[in-house]
Amino acid sequence: MILESYIKELGERGELTVIKKSVSKNLEIAGVLKTFEPTPVLFEKLMDSEYRVAGNLFCTKKQIADYFGITPEQIIPTLTSAIENRSPPEVTDKAPCQEVVENHVNLDDLPILIHNKIDGGPYISSGVVVSADPEFGQNLDFHRAMQIGKDKMVTRVVKGRDFYKFLERNGEVDVAFCIGNTPEILIAAATSVETGVDELEIANALKRIRTVKAKSVDLMIPADCEFVLEGRVILEEKADEGPFIDLTETVDVVRQEPVFEVKKITHRSDAIWQGLLPGRSEHKILMGMPREPTIFKKIKDRGIDVLDVNITPGGASWLHVAVKIKKKHEDEGIKAIEAAFEGHKSAKHIWIYDDDVDIYDEQEREWAMATRFQADVDLLIKDKEPGSSLDPSAEPGTKMTTKCGFDCTKPLVTKGKSFDKARFPEVDIKKYLGE
Ligand SMILES: Cc1cc2nc3c(=O)[nH]c(=O)nc-3n(C[C@H](O)[C@H](O)[C@H](O)COP(=O)(O)O)c2cc1C
């Protein structure tokens, strides 16, 4: 499905705000998106680009679940199944994303947004990067890219990412930055699976997709995306990248990062640029949600009856994890903490709850911690280890951080007071109203 069809559907359902007045890609669009969040917005006219822009498209789990025709509770099993039952996409030679081929590259023509005054420049924040390695084959990742010239960008590549491995092994790597994608591509790109797994096959298992060969690089790309920037990333050609407001909504520092030389641009004839507000809910959902199945699996593999995992928005949808289990042995709370850390290496704090706690409700989570947690036995503190580069409190450069987990499950055998919450009588209120 092309993004425009989805946007049309949103309009028909009355779930889209359309901005008809002319807006600027420089700060204005970001400001409007922030104001309307989480409502999807289509900007029909830009004063500084001929293309349209859409944003806030997938800010909630509900929007994503609706897209797949499932409930939010079905996202973890659906994604787990897609990771396990990958399938190769259909190949086409007639792709919407190649309706127009621009051999002369001028990035100024594109609606690359400046999101915040402090940002180092215009940024692509929704770009899904296709790359390849002779041994491992294709990979899909997200990498933000800051414009530094008419045909040059600098892209942030965190050490350890598959794309970083490809750059280390090859020095220079051909890439396709694909912008304007539907959730099967976005979510697949954000999963972290074994190097050598082509995430386009995960996307295809989520919802059928088509791929096409890129025009100037030897890569298979999503045929139905809106824009493709083809070119090459060179590890040793570096430039300043940043500052940039990142996932934690704090300013990420300026680093020397690899340059991306853009050699060709292809797009749909009536293409829509996908805006994605850095640090806000869409960014958070796309970062955190694809890690929930991996955490779930690691806990399940330990023989624990895990019921649900929620990477909570308050923890930047990255650093904090709430897990619901049906405890059968006294040590399962602590074991679930250990397993959850294995499933998400960037997690900093993990909470384990019983099956009577709503892990999506902050008050319930706090209540369970207040009434069921004792720090001398229910707290697991790990030795300092690398955590998330996004956490401003981690040691700069090394990411060294202290992780801990809170077992907020009640003991299996209760001594003294009960741990259960009162359930008041349910009444038919109509019986008591009126005369
Ligand atoms: C919206 C969004 C933006 C991201 N930006 C970057 C980025 O700029 N650099 C980076 O290294 N990772 C970024 N990530 C994270 C990785 O793309 C993501 O964790 C991916 O799963 C890593 O894949 P890999 O395990 O194949 O390396 C971003 C993720 C999302 C959802």
Side-chain angles (χ1 to χ4, degrees), residues 102-107 150-152 262-265:
E102 312 261 11
N103 292 315
H104 173 73
V105 172
N106 184 359
L107 294 170
K150 288 208 183 301
D151 60 357
K152 275 201 172 60
V262 187
K263 296 193 176 143
K264 199 180 281 284
I265 297 175

Side-chain angles (χ1 to χ4, degrees), residues 14-85:
E15 293 170 16
L16 180 75
T17 297
V18 180
I19 303 290
K20 293 186 185 300
K21 290 198 174 155
S22 182
V23 288
S24 171
K25 61 185 180 182
N26 182 0
L27 298 172
E28 271 188 5
I29 287 184
V32 177
L33 286 176
K34 167 72 175 55
T35 308
F36 279 104
E37 192 187 17
T39 304
V41 184
L42 175 67
F43 299 89
E44 286 195 328
K45 203 165 161 214
L46 267 66
M47 54 186 74
D48 30 29
S49 174
E50 66 178 90
Y51 302 102
R52 292 170 297 161
V53 173
N56 290 349
L57 295 177
F58 307 104
C59 288
T60 65
K61 282 190 179 176
K62 172 91 175 60
Q63 282 167 328
I64 291 173
D66 284 351
Y67 172 83
F68 289 116
I70 58 174
T71 63
E73 295 73 40
Q74 289 171 315
I75 291 178
I76 292 183
T78 304
L79 192 44
T80 307
S81 160
I83 293 170
E84 283 166 5
N85 305 298

